[in-house]
Amino acid sequence: MKLHERLLQLLGRRDYVPLNRAELAAKLGLKKNELRKLDAELQQLLSRGSIVRVKSDRFVRPADADLVTGTIQMRPNGRGILRPEQPDGAPADAKTPEPIDVAAEDTGTAMHGDRVVVRLSGAPARPPRGRREQRGSRGAPPVLRSGRVIRILERARDTIVGTLRKSQKFHFVTPDDPRYVHDVYVDAPERSPLVPTPQIGDKVVVRLAEWENRHANPEGEIIEVLGRTFEPRAELAAIYHKYKLETKFPAAVEAEVAALPDAMQPADLEHRRDIRSIPTCTIDPDDAKDFDDALSLEELTDGRVRIGVHIADVGAYVRPGTALDREAQHRGNSTYLVGTVVPMLPFKLSNGLCSLKEGEDRLTKSVFFTFNKHGHVTDTEFANTVIRSRKRLTYRQAYALLKENDLEKIRRLPLPPAHQTGATGRPLNSLPSAELRDLQHLVRTFWRFAEPLRAERFRQGALDLDMPETKIFVDADGYADRLERIENDESHQLIEEFMLLANEAVARITRKHQLPSVYRVHDDPDEDRLRDFREFLGTQGVQAGDLTNRRELSRVLAKIRTHDQAQILRVQLLRSLARACYREKPDGHFGLAKKDYTHFTSPIRRYADLVVHRVFESYLVRHCHQPAPRGWKSQYRAEHMPRLAEHLSLTEQNSTEAERESVKVKLLEYFERELKKKKRTPLAATILEVRNHGMFVELVESQAYGFIHVSTLDDDLYTLTPDGTALVGRRKKRRFTLGAQIQVQVDRVDRVKRQIDFRVAQA
């Protein structure tokens, strides 16, 4: 048994009393030359939070001293919520520990995201009512344990980004993230060695000094100037820094990429199925930066068709062990911020060699599905291929081809602006009628087979979690220019169904042949969370049965689709479900109701898919007897996959958080520009929560969230009804009721606090 295991076993004994280092060494029977190893193990266990030091120099397990280790998440009001870590030795299926409430005065010198030790207090606490969590709910919030931070184990960050400001006596930086609740004192800018010298109002990066006294503000040193606060480039640079997103590639990577050809070479065709003559197209968003999937159609005899799903063969250019491969693995995935992308692969690959652009020969990995005339898959084939996309279609264009018969109306659809996309494709008004009709036939045939696939998937228990999305588009200068609500219509759905089908088919062969790989996993939800969600539904007038039953969950999803607060209820449901992740085991996907599932279809932007492509190559070589490509070797071992899967899950989470922050920043920018209009636009909004001092609302189109203060309702004196569901005017009896839709206008935008206030639009 290893020393750290013996230590934990000793500390876990029922008769254990806190011992110091010397006493532990004696108990464990260690020799003098083993004391250094004991010190190292103690330090490692302390840093992990597996043990804590009490009574100066004695060691115990945290739980034995009413101590809990975990990550603290701060709120703008200064309170914290501790997310406890699983103790060492906890079983894999152990229930997630309940969060712990930390009052503002008990957070010590903890900052958002720090790993800390909290001492539990005797009395439980009711957490503050979170706006979004408790919208419209009249039920009492859950009771949490409370505690006090006694030690910082590990700082989440040693730098922060914020705006340089000045008071009468001090210079300080106000953090961008409102969860960092303390201003950071800095030296006067004129003392800075930076060139140019930081100016008041600049967006800056501050390196934090050690902070040990809660009663004094933290201090730091300005190490970088990003630009003027609220300018698009400075805001973007702040997100890059906060989430450690690198916009440039290392010199070794650039050198490898420069050595690659600019186009596909004749030698690349060796041992590939050439399907360049088969009708093929891509269907993507207006602002797609790269194109890594395409569909093809072959019409066979007896009403059968063969639909090919073709995915960019990134592995043909990104070889294992190269600097390019190591950097792609480090990044894990591309990060799509509003108006720009931080790519996983350099531009020459992501927008060039690997991108399935219209009219260009491209190397692909393909899955071919043969359907009979009844829409059932009768055969599946796998191959390395070369394709040529006939047309780059946007979702809008594909939808028109699907629904509209008048070719002239279709021709009038505009191209996406060139600055917003990696390729616009040819304008539809430049295509002859015969080509347009061929495209129309292509898209309609795809949907004819995708529609029953989708229906069958939901019959099998898949959850319909698709929600309308608000996309923010920027102008050529990077400013938020317009908002567009994107519906998950048939043009999106037909692509989704074939991508799901391909992902499932590839996962099935890697599992069946026991090839080391990574899988996309979505675990079954926690029953307690579903029970809490069921109770929340009840407060919104939605009756639900046993939500652990997949059919009941699907029924409730269908029911809340037409609810006044459908968006909020869906968000609450998503919070009740487990988070999807990558794993080395094929543990299934709850949301999709699939036993076999992986990510295969986006290797330009996800390293997980590139890994699966290499495993796919192993399958072709070993089990389909296809010749191995030049330089190919089987490179993955089972013992390497858990760490790789965990890394890819973490990089995905980081990118998701960066993308959400980008959306928040751009929404604030958009509505700030709205304030400058002479006549402000009336906007449809839903009342989500009613308080005695005003209403929380969500805009229907953009899903932006904000507050209407009762003081702006100046046509009457409004008071809260006894049941808390409406504000009612004393004289005119006008009502603002929970769930009602009203017209509002932007009233105030606070970019620092990231808050938007509205007022009711005048009729």
Side-chain angles (χ1 to χ4, degrees):
M1 188 182 294
K2 294 180 180 178
L3 180 55
H4 79 274
E5 294 172 339
R6 293 170 61 199
L7 263 171
L8 291 173
Q9 188 180 71
L10 173 60
L11 270 63
R13 285 170 49 174
R14 289 189 176 185
D15 59 350
Y16 175 78
V17 294
L19 302 176
N20 61 28
R21 170 183 175 271
E23 292 165 338
L24 284 172
K27 274 280 188 185
L28 293 167
L30 300 181
K31 298 176 182 177
K32 192 173 182 179
N33 61 357
E34 294 178 293
L35 293 181
R36 184 174 293 179
K37 187 174 182 182
L38 173 64
D39 289 338
E41 293 289 359
L42 287 171
Q43 191 55 49
Q44 188 174 31
L45 290 169
L46 283 168
S47 66
R48 286 196 346 228
S50 301
I51 64 174
V52 292
R53 186 184 280 114
V54 296
K55 298 179 182 178
S56 298
D57 200 24
R58 296 179 180 273
F59 301 93
V60 294
R61 294 187 313 173
D64 295 336
D66 278 339
L67 302 177
V68 180
T69 62
T71 301
I72 193 165
Q73 297 176 343
M74 305 298 291
R75 299 190 177 191
N77 63 4
R79 296 182 75 98
I81 292 289
L82 184 82
R83 304 292 178 186
E85 298 168 350
Q86 288 283 13
D88 273 14
D93 58 351
K95 187 177 176 182
T96 303
E98 289 295 325
I100 295 164
D101 183 73
V102 184
E105 62 271 19
D106 291 330
T107 57
T109 59
M111 294 183 177
H112 178 70
D114 289 351
R115 287 185 65 240
V116 301
V117 179
V118 163
R119 185 181 298 282
L120 296 175
S121 60
R126 288 191 183 277
R129 289 167 65 93
R131 288 187 194 172
R132 296 189 75 91
E133 289 82 2
Q134 300 293 338
R135 291 172 176 171
S137 171
R138 309 307 300 167
V143 176
L144 300 183
R145 295 177 297 169
S146 59
R148 174 172 58 88
V149 174
I150 64 167
R151 190 172 300 123
I152 311 297
L153 291 175
E154 182 183 356
R155 291 290 188 190
R157 304 188 65 86
D158 60 359
T159 62
I160 61 164
V161 177
T163 300
L164 179 60
R165 303 184 186 280
K166 184 180 185 300
S167 65
Q168 283 188 339
K169 296 182 179 180
F170 302 103
H171 287 83
F172 60 94
V173 171
T174 301
D176 280 358
D177 191 333
R179 295 172 297 184
Y180 287 87
V181 297
H182 300 280
D183 293 330
V184 180
Y185 288 157
V186 293
D187 279 343
E190 54 267 22
R191 298 181 189 173
S192 172
L194 296 176
V195 179
T197 302
Q199 303 294 316
I200 305 302
D202 277 352
K203 181 84 69 179
V204 297
V205 180
V206 176
R207 180 186 291 120
L208 296 168
E210 191 64 35
W211 184 35
E212 297 177 344
N213 181 6
R214 174 178 173 75
H215 302 292
N217 277 51
E219 297 179 7
E221 174 192 4
I222 297 174
I223 59 172
E224 189 177 354
V225 177
L226 302 178
R228 298 297 290 174
T229 292
F230 303 146
E231 285 183 351
R233 274 181 289 187
E235 296 297 323
L236 200 55
I239 293 174
Y240 292 155
H241 180 87
K242 180 176 179 180
Y243 294 97
K244 300 179 181 178
L245 302 173
E246 292 294 335
T247 57
K248 295 181 179 179
F249 287 87
V253 173
E254 295 288 9
E256 287 181 359
V257 172
L260 292 172
D262 293 323
M264 192 192 81
Q265 302 299 296
D268 295 332
L269 291 172
E270 189 178 8
H271 306 310
R272 286 183 180 268
R273 185 187 298 187
D274 189 343
I275 59 168
R276 286 175 289 182
S277 62
I278 295 174
T280 304
C281 71
T282 63
I283 304 176
D284 293 278
D286 276 18
D287 60 343
K289 301 294 190 295
D290 44 61
F291 308 92
D292 46 13
D293 58 81
L295 296 178
S296 67
L297 176 67
E298 297 173 83
E299 301 193 68
L300 310 175
T301 57
D302 302 324
R304 296 176 302 130
V305 303
R306 183 185 295 124
I307 293 177
V309 179
H310 311 290
I311 311 301
D313 193 351
V314 174
Y317 303 103
V318 182
R319 300 294 188 182
T322 59
L324 177 57
D325 182 54
R326 288 192 298 271
E327 182 65 16
Q329 181 177 322
H330 170 70
R331 295 182 179 221
N333 46 261
S334 298
T335 303
Y336 292 84
L337 307 177
V338 176
T340 191
V341 60
V342 181
M344 182 180 79
L345 300 171
F347 187 85
K348 185 174 180 177
L349 289 170
S350 61
N351 283 66
L353 271 172
C354 296
S355 192
L356 308 184
K357 290 183 177 180
E358 177 181 319
E360 300 284 347
D361 293 346
R362 290 292 185 256
L363 306 180
T364 49
K365 282 184 158 38
S366 303
V367 185
F368 295 92
F369 299 101
T370 301
F371 292 83
N372 63 20
K373 62 183 178 181
H374 303 295
H376 300 134
V377 177
T378 59
D379 188 38
T380 305
E381 300 173 75
F382 306 92
N384 286 324
T385 54
V386 57
I387 69 163
R388 176 180 289 185
S389 171
R390 294 191 179 181
K391 188 73 188 78
R392 180 277 208 247
L393 292 173
T394 67
Y395 283 129
R396 193 194 314 266
Q397 291 169 343
Y399 186 79
L401 289 166
L402 195 59
K403 298 292 185 179
E404 180 59 64
N405 292 319
D406 188 337
L407 294 186
E408 290 310 311
K409 287 185 179 179
I410 295 172
R411 282 195 171 98
R412 289 198 289 270
L413 287 173
L415 287 176
H419 72 274
Q420 290 180 352
T421 180
T424 60
R426 292 170 294 157
L428 293 183
N429 61 15
S430 71
L431 305 185
S433 296
E435 186 173 357
L436 263 184
R437 280 192 289 269
D438 286 346
L439 281 172
Q440 192 169 58
H441 174 72
L442 198 64
V443 173
R444 291 183 177 185
T445 304
F446 289 150
W447 178 241
R448 180 159 59 90
F449 289 93
E451 187 176 24
L453 283 176
R454 184 174 176 82
E456 178 60 23
R457 183 161 62 85
F458 290 128
R459 274 195 296 272
Q460 294 296 325
L463 303 181
D464 185 2
L465 297 171
D466 291 320
M467 293 185 283
E469 173 194 357
T470 299
K471 185 157 282 189
I472 306 171
F473 293 90
V474 300
D475 61 21
D477 296 321
Y479 285 97
D481 183 44
R482 65 184 177 90
L483 306 180
E484 183 178 329
R485 188 176 174 90
I486 308 295
E487 298 287 346
N488 185 48
D489 60 34
E490 291 91 332
S491 64
H492 296 69
Q493 292 165 12
L494 77 85
I495 288 294
E496 179 184 22
E497 292 308 319
F498 289 118
M499 296 306 117
L500 291 175
L501 199 63
N503 286 336
E504 184 178 21
V506 173
R508 188 179 297 118
I509 61 169
T510 59
R511 174 187 58 79
K512 180 180 176 182
H513 294 282
Q514 299 181 338
L515 300 172
S517 188
V518 292
Y519 296 87
R520 186 62 170 176
V521 172
H522 188 215
D523 290 325
D524 290 355
D526 180 82
E527 291 186 15
D528 289 344
R529 288 192 174 188
L530 286 180
R531 193 178 303 114
D532 291 343
F533 176 62
R534 180 175 176 271
E535 292 174 3
F536 179 75
L537 286 172
T539 68
Q540 307 302 310
V542 179
Q543 299 304 311
D546 180 9
L547 295 182
T548 60
N549 181 301
R550 189 181 286 274
R551 282 192 176 181
E552 178 63 9
L553 193 54
S554 296
R555 187 192 70 80
V556 167
L557 264 172
K559 193 172 183 179
I560 65 178
R561 193 171 293 124
T562 56
H563 195 278
D564 290 336
Q565 299 194 54
Q567 177 74 8
I568 306 310
L569 294 177
R570 284 185 174 220
V571 169
Q572 290 294 336
L573 172 59
L574 288 174
R575 289 175 176 169
S576 303
L577 301 179
R579 175 184 284 178
C581 65
Y582 294 106
R583 199 174 293 161
E584 75 283 3
K585 297 183 294 182
D587 290 339
H589 197 293
F590 175 80
L592 296 172
K594 290 185 182 296
K595 175 184 177 182
D596 297 305
Y597 197 67
T598 192
H599 273 169
F600 168 76
T601 54
S602 296
I604 292 177
R605 64 186 180 92
R606 293 188 305 228
Y607 192 81
D609 301 55
L610 177 54
V611 171
V612 173
H613 275 221
R614 290 168 177 166
V615 179
F616 180 89
E617 191 72 60
S618 295
Y619 168 76
L620 292 180
V621 171
R622 293 175 178 176
H623 302 284
C624 299
H625 309 296
Q626 294 196 15
R630 287 171 296 163
W632 176 85
K633 62 178 180 179
S634 179
Q635 64 279 344
Y636 290 118
R637 294 182 179 177
E639 60 266 27
H640 297 157
M641 306 316 280
R643 182 174 293 181
L644 177 58
E646 182 181 15
H647 166 72
L648 296 177
S649 296
L650 291 174
T651 59
E652 177 190 47
Q653 290 173 28
N654 185 67
S655 291
T656 298
E657 290 172 11
E659 290 162 3
R660 285 174 181 164
E661 179 145 344
S662 171
V663 169
K664 287 178 186 176
V665 167
K666 286 299 181 182
L667 273 177
L668 289 162
E669 181 181 282
Y670 177 84
F671 286 114
E672 188 176 59
R673 298 182 92 187
E674 176 71 20
L675 276 176
K676 297 175 182 177
K677 293 181 179 179
K678 289 184 179 179
K679 187 175 181 181
R680 295 175 192 172
T681 309
L683 306 161
T686 303
I687 300 172
L688 300 176
E689 186 174 356
V690 183
R691 302 276 184 89
N692 57 8
H693 62 292
M695 305 173 283
F696 292 107
V697 298
E698 185 173 68
L699 300 189
V700 172
E701 193 69 22
S702 67
Q703 298 167 13
Y705 180 68
F707 188 68
I708 300 175
H709 199 277
V710 71
S711 63
T712 65
L713 303 174
D714 50 15
D715 65 325
D716 205 340
L717 179 64
Y718 286 85
T719 56
L720 188 66
T721 56
D723 63 359
T725 61
L727 284 172
V728 181
R730 179 178 292 179
R731 290 184 298 106
K732 300 179 182 178
K733 305 302 180 185
R734 185 181 184 186
R735 297 177 66 91
F736 293 98
T737 306
L738 182 69
Q741 201 169 101
I742 59 175
Q743 293 289 308
V744 302
Q745 293 173 325
V746 182
D747 188 51
R748 190 176 69 92
V749 175
D750 190 327
R751 295 284 293 271
V752 176
K753 294 182 178 178
R754 301 192 174 183
Q755 294 175 351
I756 307 172
D757 287 346
F758 299 99
R759 64 165 54 237
V760 176
Q762 298 298 318

